[in-house]
Every structure is written in C-alpha cells, then in structure tokens.
Amino acid sequence: MKTIEIIGYKRANLGKSESKRLREEGMVPCVVYGDGEQEHFYSPAILFRDLIYTPEARFVKLNVEGKEYDCIMQDNQFHPVSESILHVDFLKLKEDRPVKMNIPVKLKGNAPGIVKGGKMQLKVRHLRVKALPKDMPEHIEVDVSKLDLGKSVKVGEIKQENYEIQNNNSVSIATVIIPRALRGKKTDEEGEDA
C-alpha cells in the first residue's frame, strides 16, 4: 500500500482558541495515539489533499519535529458549512497488531448482464477490512464476469487472503440492474407465452 508523508509541529497550547487560531493560519490540529500515549501536533492543511480527498487507502509516515511514526488516519472532522478540515486523528501502527481500514473496491471483468442492456451499479465503494499492516490490501478486486441481469455480488462471495472483511456477508457490492425498457419487454414476452 502507498505511504504518504505528513510533517507536523508540536502543539504547546491546547484548547478551542488555539485550535481556531491554527485553522485560520491554514493548519489542521491533529493527534497521534497508540501504546497508551498521545501527541498533539498541527500540520499544513495542503498536506492532507492526497490522504483525505482520494478514494484510495494510504498509510501515513508522520514526522513530528524529527520524531517519526508509521500510522493510519483513524478519523477526521469537517466544518459543516465550509467543509474545511477541523481535526484529524492518527493511530500508530504495530507490525503484530491488526488494524481496521476502509479499502476501496475495484471491479474486474465484463458482466454478461451489461451486454444484454443492463447497467452496473456499485453499491459499496469501500469495505471495512481488518488485517496486519503488512497484509492490508491496496484495493479489493471483485469479479463481476458472471453477473447477469438482476444479479449481485455479495461480500460473502469474496475470497479473503490474510485479511478479514468486517462488512456483513449478505451486503451487495455490485448489481447489474435491469433498465425500465427491458423490464417492460420481459413482461410482454411472458404475456405472449401464456
């Protein structure tokens, strides 16, 4: 999985007024935690573009004034009106401790239902995956080459290798939906057969 670097600076003062001042300067208040300790810092908002505004999952190499952490973004908060980043939480990675991440779904293959006039509908763009950091996939491939009209691929049908998908097995990931025009034809054909 790709890793991006984020540079941070320790926060001397905590509190709402200090956080507000940092945001006005184009900075994002952050915290990194794990191993029973936490460190508060801030980073330039521009550095989060390739972490937050992307469909891909990424590991983060945090550098807080020379102290480095391998981690993942655990949570982020946005302003309800301006949608600017208010706060970001990071979780330290340990090689022997599994973590949970939202991993993007990537469709593979050509569905026969699409050739017949159906339309592919991606119902779930990310799956919640639990794995050791070394086993965390960049994306989860979902084979749609057997999907006919009205058929779906469910979470339970995905082969899991060294990771565990946390979503319910009955959740549909992708479906070939039948367009209204084709639904009418099927009903007419059934009526003629009667």
Side-chain angles (χ1 to χ4, degrees):
M1 182 179 299
K2 290 180 186 172
T3 301
I4 68 162
E5 187 173 7
I6 290 185
I7 296 165
Y9 307 94
K10 290 181 183 175
R11 290 177 63 186
N13 302 319
L14 302 177
K16 287 184 179 181
S17 59
E18 177 66 11
S19 295
K20 185 178 179 183
R21 186 188 66 76
L22 287 170
R23 290 184 195 109
E24 287 170 356
E25 293 175 4
M27 301 294 176
V28 177
C30 304
V31 64
V32 58
Y33 50 84
D35 302 329
E37 57 185 57
Q38 59 183 15
E39 184 166 351
H40 294 272
F41 65 98
Y42 63 91
S43 290
I46 192 84
L47 297 179
F48 291 91
R49 187 177 58 219
D50 292 337
L51 179 64
I52 293 178
Y53 303 108
T54 177
E56 298 174 18
R58 305 239 166 107
F59 287 140
V60 177
K61 172 79 78 182
L62 264 184
N63 183 337
V64 181
E65 295 183 11
K67 199 172 179 184
E68 292 192 345
Y69 306 99
D70 291 320
C71 50
I72 59 169
M73 182 176 64
Q74 186 74 2
D75 189 26
N76 56 42
Q77 297 163 11
F78 293 95
H79 189 278
V81 177
S82 67
E83 294 189 13
S84 59
I85 306 167
L86 292 178
H87 194 272
V88 178
D89 291 4
F90 292 95
L91 175 68
K92 293 179 197 171
L93 292 176
K94 288 181 83 177
E95 289 180 23
D96 60 342
R97 185 175 63 200
V99 291
K100 294 177 185 174
M101 290 181 76
N102 289 330
I103 302 298
V105 169
K106 195 174 189 180
L107 300 182
K108 180 182 88 170
N110 297 317
I114 294 195
V115 176
K116 295 176 183 174
K119 185 178 176 193
M120 182 66 69
Q121 184 179 45
L122 187 60
K123 296 199 171 231
V124 179
R125 295 189 183 281
H126 291 86
L127 292 171
R128 190 80 172 154
V129 173
K130 181 180 178 183
L132 292 171
K134 67 179 178 66
D135 296 326
M136 190 63 74
E138 261 187 56
H139 59 267
I140 295 179
E141 275 193 359
V142 176
D143 187 8
V144 294
S145 59
K146 294 180 180 148
L147 287 187
D148 212 337
L149 288 169
K151 301 295 178 193
S152 301
V153 176
K154 299 193 184 309
V155 170
E157 298 170 42
I158 297 174
K159 185 180 171 203
Q160 300 177 34
E161 304 166 15
N162 299 328
Y163 58 81
E164 181 185 327
I165 297 174
Q166 302 282 291
N167 302 63
N168 191 315
N169 284 340
S170 62
V171 171
S172 293
I173 298 169
T175 304
V176 176
I177 55 175
I178 305 167
R180 202 173 290 160
L182 287 179
R183 280 188 231 148
K185 282 185 183 178
K186 275 195 166 181
T187 314
D188 293 344
E189 288 168 10
E190 288 166 7
E192 288 169 14
D193 293 342

